[in-house]
Amino acid sequence: MDPIANIGQQFAAHNYKLTPQREAIVKVLLDNEEEHLSVEDVYMRVKNSYPHLGLATVYRTLELLCELHIVEKMNFGDGVARYDLRGTDHAHMHHHLICNVCGRLEEIKDDWLLDLERRLEREYGFNVTDHRLDFKGTFNTCKRHGCKGDRKDKAVS
């Protein structure tokens, strides 16, 4: 199914409308899925199409997308809230490797915690509905070559 149509259905299921402005914001997130955009990043990319769209509208839309579990709001320790689309192909949010030296971020798409979730349910009667795990450390390339801080977001399967 088309991602925009799927998101439109999620909006409708909660009695919200996917307005053209909201759709433009969603498209920016879809077009930049490998990046973890801040409110300002989204605003700068969407204002070309909607020059009268305000920063507050972008912020409110991103918060609504979080409320509807379409995006995940995250902070990687730099004090900036970033937004990441939740994949429809996974029940949980993906995980991240965050380099303390250069700030590079890599995504881990595989869900390595399914066995732990089953154990939590079996041993504690606790049903995990979601989880997110961020690993902070240093990539070997930063240790060896002294990274210059070139932040790049990548996905790891």
Side-chain angles (χ1 to χ4, degrees):
M1 175 182 269
D2 173 38
I4 295 289
N6 183 29
I7 291 170
Q9 287 179 348
Q10 291 177 6
F11 266 75
H14 291 89
N15 297 318
Y16 290 105
K17 291 184 180 178
L18 185 60
T19 63
Q21 294 86 352
R22 288 174 175 169
E23 185 174 330
I25 291 167
V26 168
K27 283 182 181 176
V28 165
L29 293 172
L30 287 167
D31 291 345
N32 298 278
E33 203 167 351
E34 294 300 316
E35 298 180 50
H36 298 80
L37 301 176
S38 68
V39 173
E40 292 80 11
D41 293 333
V42 173
Y43 172 71
M44 295 306 289
R45 286 173 169 90
V46 81
K47 78 176 199 169
N48 293 332
S49 304
Y50 290 90
H52 299 295
L53 189 70
L55 183 61
T57 301
V58 173
Y59 178 79
R60 283 192 306 270
T61 300
L62 289 171
E63 289 300 311
L64 177 59
L65 290 166
C66 287
E67 182 182 316
L68 298 177
H69 301 288
I70 296 168
V71 300
E72 181 82 14
K73 182 178 183 178
M74 45 191 61
N75 187 319
F76 296 116
D78 59 359
V80 177
R82 299 183 191 284
Y83 297 85
D84 200 6
L85 279 170
R86 296 180 63 93
T88 56
D89 54 342
H90 291 87
H92 301 294
M93 192 62 195
H94 55 262
H95 310 300
H96 299 93
L97 306 175
I98 305 163
C99 184
N100 292 325
V101 175
C102 69
R104 189 173 95 205
L105 179 76
E106 291 197 25
E107 294 180 350
I108 300 171
K109 296 287 188 181
D110 292 338
D111 192 347
W112 295 338
L113 300 178
L114 287 176
D115 290 337
L116 176 60
E117 288 179 21
R118 290 182 192 115
R119 183 176 174 190
L120 290 170
E121 185 167 6
R122 186 176 60 250
E123 293 181 20
Y124 295 92
F126 185 78
N127 182 30
V128 176
T129 57
D130 201 2
H131 65 260
R132 194 182 105 218
L133 188 58
D134 296 333
F135 295 92
K136 293 188 178 188
T138 306
F139 287 104
N140 287 338
T141 54
C142 288
K143 289 179 186 172
R144 285 193 298 259
H145 304 295
C147 279
K148 303 286 188 216
D150 60 332
R151 180 189 172 105
K152 292 181 183 172
D153 295 348
K154 288 177 53 179
V156 176
S157 294

